[in-house]
């Protein structure tokens, strides 16, 4: 009789509020370089929580104010390689929250999602 094998789903613990993971830290360095060049005026990490519904909030990773005074909320996601192509990794609830915030609540501002493509 063959043993039964289970594939465990890995759950990463969410970092403490206000602490950046490695991908977010690299994006923060990139944003600071853009600020020093004058391409952006201001950026901040996890600046606010947006209420989408009862007990449902969306917290964008970065708030960016560009040199032309446009406001942009940026979501930083991990990127995996699947079938030789980079694919950003989103949990279903994060994808829905981003879309609700971008298209229904705060349609007047720009929303972007960035991810670092692995070198492999």
């Amino acid at each position: 009789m063959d043993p039964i094998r289970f594939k465990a789903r890995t759950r990463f613990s969410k970092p403490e509020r206000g602490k950046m993971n490695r991908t977010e830290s690299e994006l923060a360095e990139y944003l600071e370089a853009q600020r020093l060049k004058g391409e952006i005026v201001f950026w901040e990490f996890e600046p606010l929580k947006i209420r989408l519904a009862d007990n449902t909030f969306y917290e964008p990773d970065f708030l960016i104010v560009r040199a032309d005074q446009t406001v942009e909320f940026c979501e930083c996601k991990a990127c995996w390689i699947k079938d030789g192509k980079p694919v950003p990794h989103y949990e279903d609830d994060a994808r829905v929250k981003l879309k609700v915030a971008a298209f229904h609540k705060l349609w007047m501002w720009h929303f972007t999602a960035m991810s670092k493509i692995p070198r492999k």
Side-chain angles (χ1 to χ4, degrees):
M1 182 173 192
D2 292 331
I4 299 173
R5 294 183 184 238
F6 294 95
K7 184 175 181 180
R9 181 175 176 182
T10 305
R11 289 234 165 218
F12 298 104
S13 61
K14 185 173 180 176
E16 294 178 39
R17 180 165 159 64
K19 302 254 180 159
M20 294 185 204
N21 62 29
R22 187 175 65 212
T23 307
E24 291 166 343
S25 296
E26 291 176 6
L27 181 56
E29 289 174 10
Y30 173 74
L31 291 174
E32 185 60 23
Q34 279 192 321
R35 189 187 67 79
L36 293 174
K37 289 180 190 174
E39 295 175 12
I40 65 174
V41 177
F42 173 81
W43 68 270
E44 188 176 352
F45 178 69
E46 292 183 351
L48 55 103
K49 280 188 173 183
I50 300 166
R51 184 184 175 125
L52 302 177
D54 291 339
N55 296 323
T56 305
F57 295 89
Y58 167 65
E59 186 172 17
D61 290 332
F62 291 93
L63 166 68
I64 303 167
V65 179
R66 300 260 173 214
D68 61 355
Q69 301 301 312
T70 57
V71 175
E72 179 179 336
F73 292 102
C74 180
E75 190 67 29
C76 185
K77 291 295 178 189
C79 190
W80 296 343
I81 300 295
K82 185 175 183 181
D83 299 328
K85 296 180 181 177
V87 177
H89 174 68
Y90 286 93
E91 293 291 334
D92 290 339
D93 66 325
R95 187 182 301 262
V96 170
K97 287 178 181 182
L98 178 63
K99 288 182 179 182
V100 169
F103 296 114
H104 298 289
K105 290 288 185 177
L106 302 170
W107 51 267
M108 69 290 291
W109 291 325
H110 298 276
F111 283 80
T112 58
M114 294 186 185
S115 46
K116 181 182 176 191
I117 299 174
R119 293 185 183 204
K120 295 180 182 178

